[in-house]
Amino acid sequence: LNWPKYQSIFWGDARKDWHASSIRYVYSWQMRDIPEALAEECPLGFATSMLIKAFTCATSESSCYFATVKQVEDFLATSPMMFDILAHSRWPFAMIINHMAKSTRHKYHLDFTEAELTGAFLPGASRSRLPLGGGGKPDIEDQLLHFGAWAGSSWQAGYSQSFRDLLGVLPQLGPGLPEAPTLVYITMIYGKQFNRHMRRFCARARALGVPGRRLVLFTLDDEAHKLCLAENEQRCVRGTPSIVNKFTLPLMCARLGLDSVWIDLDVFLMHDPTPAIAAHAEQGPYDILISGSFE
């Protein structure tokens, strides 16, 4: 490995792009195939690479974090003078640790208000609901009766954009199956690397019937929202990037009398899962059904 060239990316003008520039070294074939030789050739450079890899894992794929960071911890334990050694090294250990301390994989932001999330937006209204597959009439229409004219002018009362969009989605939902009249499919999407897959994701859902007619997208940037309006028949809820969206949108759907199925954007639906979900729900009652991933 060209250690001097590798080290140069952390200094001078190149420093501002150090993480992107380091990836070619951190995930090089040498790091993959001959790590022991590299660790012997340049211990500090190799340890820096493992620290960058741990940082990358922590902000992208957390399952690889602990195995990688253990290599860093083992290296730090090899000498009682290790921190003095690092302090006098040109390898930027302290800078990378500082980035790790300040970085998070996900942002935590609520697009719905506290009142909306707790159900306080329906003063005096009954919040009881029918279980999935329980028969009878879904209570969405009954819930909406309590909104009255307020539903069309909710912006005047300080209700969130996401909540207003969700209300606007309800009339756009297509018919569901009789055994699952309250079921909707939801996911979130943002960023160029994911937005480019929206068209095919929506097309596949439409090809299966119910998932396409009752798909709701939580669009977390402007590009995603504009694409959604064209590709998903205006069933689009605006928001901002946050991991808690995965929990708040299903909660808000439940507040409005809907059962929701969360589908990650990288899931390819082979068949319409609605009959299977309804059949499992009939064996309940259940509050939550969780699928398994067998790899």
Side-chain angles (χ1 to χ4, degrees), residues 1-292:
L1 199 69
N2 189 337
W3 295 107
K5 187 174 181 180
Y6 179 12
Q7 190 181 69
S8 69
I9 68 176
F10 301 106
W11 307 102
D13 294 337
R15 181 175 178 175
K16 63 180 180 180
D17 297 319
W18 68 266
H19 183 253
S21 300
S22 70
I23 295 301
R24 60 178 295 191
Y25 298 98
V26 174
Y27 291 94
S28 65
W29 70 264
Q30 295 98 321
M31 289 288 180
R32 183 189 68 235
D33 296 341
I34 53 171
E36 296 84 0
L38 294 184
E40 182 177 349
E41 183 179 61
C42 184
L44 292 176
F46 181 79
T48 300
S49 299
M50 292 304 99
L51 189 60
I52 295 172
K53 188 173 182 180
F55 170 64
T56 304
C57 291
T59 55
S60 57
E61 182 52 61
S62 57
S63 61
C64 65
Y65 173 77
F66 290 103
T68 307
V69 82
K70 187 177 186 306
Q71 297 182 64
V72 179
E73 292 172 345
D74 291 344
F75 174 76
L76 295 176
T78 58
S79 170
M81 302 296 292
M82 184 53 67
F83 283 98
D84 289 330
I85 295 172
L86 293 173
H88 292 84
S89 169
R90 286 182 60 82
W91 291 100
F93 237 71
M95 181 186 74
I96 299 169
I97 291 174
N98 182 54
H99 275 277
M100 292 182 72
K102 296 190 299 183
S103 299
T104 58
R105 181 182 178 188
H106 299 291
K107 295 181 180 179
Y108 297 87
H109 174 79
L110 292 175
D111 289 307
F112 296 99
T113 67
E114 181 178 348
E116 293 160 0
L117 292 168
T118 58
F121 58 86
L122 282 175
S126 170
R127 300 188 190 116
S128 61
R129 55 189 308 283
L130 297 171
L132 175 62
K137 175 176 173 252
D139 62 355
I140 302 173
E141 294 89 346
D142 295 335
Q143 297 253 20
L144 289 177
L145 288 176
H146 293 281
F147 295 144
W150 168 90
S153 57
S154 57
W155 63 273
Q156 296 176 342
Y159 291 90
S160 68
Q161 180 71 68
S162 298
F163 183 69
R164 302 198 304 269
D165 284 353
L166 184 57
L167 288 181
V169 161
L170 298 179
Q172 309 299 327
L173 294 174
L177 295 183
E179 62 268 31
T182 60
L183 195 66
V184 295
Y185 292 86
I186 58 178
T187 192
M188 63 182 177
I189 181 170
Y190 69 98
K192 290 185 179 297
Q193 62 177 335
F194 297 110
N195 290 342
R196 62 193 179 94
H197 299 297
M198 185 190 299
R199 177 175 297 177
R200 290 184 178 180
F201 184 86
C202 293
R204 180 58 187 168
R206 287 194 299 271
L208 296 177
V210 172
R213 297 194 299 267
R214 299 179 68 81
L215 175 65
V216 179
L217 300 184
F218 208 169
T219 55
L220 308 183
D221 63 25
D222 189 58
E223 180 188 43
H225 185 67
K226 290 177 180 177
L227 286 171
C228 178
L229 293 175
E231 301 296 337
N232 196 43
E233 300 175 351
Q234 301 185 17
R235 293 186 298 272
C236 317
V237 177
R238 280 169 284 191
T240 53
S242 172
I243 187 58
V244 295
N245 292 334
K246 201 169 187 176
F247 308 98
T248 57
L249 184 57
L251 174 59
M252 291 309 306
C253 286
R255 295 294 187 198
L256 293 172
L258 294 169
D259 294 286
S260 59
V261 177
W262 184 275
I263 303 179
D264 284 338
L265 200 73
D266 59 357
V267 170
F268 182 86
L269 295 172
M270 302 297 293
H271 300 283
D272 178 5
T274 309
I277 293 171
H280 280 291
E282 286 286 357
Q283 300 173 27
Y286 300 119
D287 292 319
I288 299 175
L289 294 177
I290 300 175
S291 65

